[in-house]
Amino acid sequence: MDLFDKITKSLGGPIGQHQKWSHGYFSFPKLEGEIGPHMEFKGKEHLVWSLNNYLGLANHPEVRQADAQAAADYGMAYPMGARMMSGNSIHHEELENNLAAFVGKQSAFLLNYGYQGMVSIIDALVDRNDVIVYDAESHACIIDGVRLHMGKRFVYQHNDIESCEKQLERATRLTEQTGGGILLITEGVFGMSGAQGKLKAVADLKKKFNFRLLVDDAHGFGTMGKTGAGTHEEQDCMDEVDVYFATFAKSMAGIGAFVAADQDIIHYLRYNMRSQTFAKALPMPMVLGLKKRFEMLKTQPELREKLWLIANTLQAGLKERGFDLGASNTMVTPVFLKGDLFEATALTRDLRENYGIFCSIVVYPVIPKGLIVLRLIPTAAHSLEDVQRTLDAYSAIGEKLKAGYYKENKLEIA
């Protein structure tokens, strides 16, 4: 067993995702009513800041009732088949139409999974004559989609519009020879750093270049913008985004995703996305459960307001205590610390075992050596008391880190 595996084992699972579900270390209690972010790890209660549940819908009583009723009415199998064959229903179409209208597009297409969906969208939209231009810090699903591309692809420095323009110049020269087009891909909210993608600035480049803009707004849908429609609403460039993609896994705490665009683009994708053409449709209980979640997202703005109250209070408190939150201008809250891998391991275990707080940790090789990132995901299910408890704990571990406590008290690894 190498050093990385030993440290991973000591954390209870992979770094950055260290809940060992299969071994029963981390359990969700069965509760009546709305479940909060307090869960059990090895029999002890912990406050968790690593759940994709922005609006607190994961176990909301109304959502649970809708899920249960749909399962009772339809079972988990129906509809039996792919959407183009026997897998369609009026509920699938109604959800698509409502989603499209909400994010400002003509049409939408339901996808079984977010990661798989983005990979397949990219694969369907480009051929060997086209060029992809994409942000250097794009999510893994974008990177994997780009890898499938048989033509050229150019990467620009993260959120650097000057770099983006240079890559568009290169792409334009190439497509003038091939006769292809340019697909520019970025994110609405970068999930690791919490920084918004510069959608408005990128869209303004259309005045100089001919390209289509594809935005992955997994973290922005339901959380950003006046109505929660997304980061393109927040930045007032809804019409300039040609293809809008979001998952149900974050704000709606569900399974699946959707892509929205002009009607002709969506019609094309319905018949050319191999991951959907040859896959069973989303089961009815999921679709009906998503309809309920979406209804609550639209009609209960207090959920989004609570999320932002928690996020703003948490971030303000951390900044007051001298913590570096990097470039985050969204609810995603990364805390940047300086320390080696052993310190990161000892600090994380101290935070978990002695302060009862669970959060995602990111270390080398994901980030440079000497850095530690503790990423907090605020949700509407958290309370202001949870925030205060976390701020007190971070103050304590921050002082310990500065004093060299974690160097002197390295975690013993068997």
Side-chain angles (χ1 to χ4, degrees):
M1 182 180 293
D2 62 22
L3 176 62
F4 185 82
D5 288 335
K6 289 180 179 179
I7 293 175
T8 300
K9 180 180 179 182
S10 74
L11 287 171
I15 290 179
Q17 190 181 351
H18 44 266
Q19 302 97 314
K20 276 208 170 180
W21 309 96
S22 60
H23 292 273
Y25 288 170
F26 197 13
S27 63
F28 291 81
K30 295 180 181 178
L31 298 177
E32 293 299 325
E34 194 168 351
I35 189 171
H38 299 268
M39 303 180 188
E40 289 186 358
F41 181 84
K42 295 184 178 180
K44 295 181 180 180
E45 183 269 339
H46 288 75
L47 172 59
V48 183
W49 290 95
S50 58
L51 301 178
N52 291 326
N53 183 29
Y54 285 129
L55 300 183
L57 296 177
N59 207 30
H60 192 286
E62 293 182 44
V63 168
R64 292 178 63 181
Q65 183 177 4
D67 290 345
Q69 188 62 53
D73 290 344
Y74 293 98
M76 291 302 297
Y78 182 82
M80 295 297 293
R83 288 290 300 281
M84 289 195 303
M85 302 295 287
S86 57
N88 199 27
S89 79
I90 58 173
H91 296 290
H92 288 73
E93 293 183 358
E94 182 180 347
L95 180 57
E96 288 173 336
N97 293 336
N98 291 338
L99 286 165
F102 186 61
V103 300
K105 299 302 170 190
Q106 291 180 351
S107 186
F109 184 29
L110 288 181
L111 311 176
N112 291 5
Y113 296 101
Y115 196 110
Q116 175 200 64
M118 176 53 76
V119 171
S120 194
I121 289 168
I122 296 170
D123 179 55
L125 286 178
V126 292
D127 66 23
R128 67 176 67 251
N129 295 313
D130 300 320
V131 179
I132 295 176
V133 176
Y134 65 102
D135 190 285
E137 293 192 11
S138 294
H139 188 270
C141 65
I142 296 174
I143 301 301
D144 284 354
V146 169
R147 285 173 175 169
L148 289 177
H149 180 43
M150 294 182 290
K152 293 289 186 180
R153 62 255 195 173
F154 301 132
V155 59
Y156 64 90
Q157 296 174 26
H158 175 53
N159 262 349
D160 187 325
I161 300 304
E162 183 178 349
S163 175
C164 181
E165 187 168 357
K166 289 180 180 178
Q167 300 309 322
L168 283 170
E169 289 173 353
R170 295 178 66 193
T172 299
R173 288 195 296 269
L174 188 57
T175 54
E176 287 173 350
Q177 300 173 15
T178 66
I182 301 171
L183 178 66
L184 196 153
I185 311 173
T186 188
E187 297 190 47
V189 174
F190 288 87
M192 190 62 67
S193 69
Q196 292 182 48
K198 295 183 178 180
L199 306 187
K200 181 66 173 177
V202 169
D204 284 345
L205 292 175
K206 288 185 175 183
K207 298 171 185 176
K208 294 181 62 176
F209 303 97
N210 183 21
F211 63 89
R212 274 181 172 160
L213 176 57
L214 165 60
V215 173
D216 177 346
D217 207 21
H219 292 270
F221 175 72
T223 65
M224 303 295 293
K226 183 178 179 180
T227 68
T231 313
H232 63 330
E233 180 186 45
E234 175 75 18
Q235 298 185 25
D236 193 25
C237 59
M238 295 180 78
D239 292 341
E240 286 76 18
V241 174
D242 299 291
V243 185
Y244 180 88
F245 166 87
T247 72
F248 301 130
K250 304 297 191 297
S251 61
M252 286 171 51
I255 294 292
F258 72 97
V259 56
D262 288 347
Q263 191 168 359
D264 57 343
I265 295 177
I266 296 302
H267 184 73
Y268 171 82
L269 290 175
R270 286 183 188 277
Y271 291 90
N272 288 275
M273 284 185 64
R274 294 172 64 83
S275 66
Q276 301 302 126
T277 302
F278 300 100
K280 184 178 182 294
L282 276 174
M284 191 66 75
M286 293 184 183
V287 174
L288 293 175
L290 289 169
K291 287 177 67 176
K292 181 62 180 179
R293 290 165 172 81
F294 183 49
E295 172 195 325
M296 295 176 69
L297 183 155
K298 290 194 300 180
T299 62
Q300 298 186 28
E302 61 271 19
L303 296 174
R304 191 169 62 258
E305 292 168 4
K306 174 70 180 302
L307 162 66
W308 281 102
L309 172 65
I310 297 298
N312 290 333
T313 305
L314 176 67
Q315 292 182 4
L318 288 166
K319 289 177 181 177
E320 287 172 3
R321 288 160 173 77
F323 288 100
D324 178 11
L325 306 188
S328 179
N329 55 358
T330 66
M331 60 284 155
V332 179
T333 308
V335 180
F336 292 84
L337 304 169
K338 292 183 179 180
D340 60 30
L341 190 57
F342 281 105
E343 288 178 287
T345 306
L347 179 152
T348 305
R349 185 160 188 174
D350 187 26
L351 190 62
R352 186 186 73 200
E353 298 299 324
N354 298 316
Y355 297 93
I357 293 177
F358 225 118
C359 64
S360 298
I361 180 174
V362 186
V363 294
Y364 176 83
V366 179
I367 57 177
K369 288 183 178 180
L371 284 180
I372 306 168
V373 175
L374 300 176
R375 190 181 67 153
L376 303 171
I377 301 296
T379 75
H382 285 96
S383 68
L384 292 176
E385 289 76 16
D386 295 332
V387 172
Q388 188 59 53
R389 173 179 164 185
T390 302
L391 292 175
D392 291 342
Y394 269 61
S395 292
I397 65 166
E399 290 301 317
K400 287 182 177 180
L401 183 64
K402 289 179 183 178
Y405 175 84
Y406 298 116
K407 279 188 177 292
E408 298 172 1
N409 295 272
K410 293 181 180 178
L411 178 66
E412 292 294 329
I413 303 177

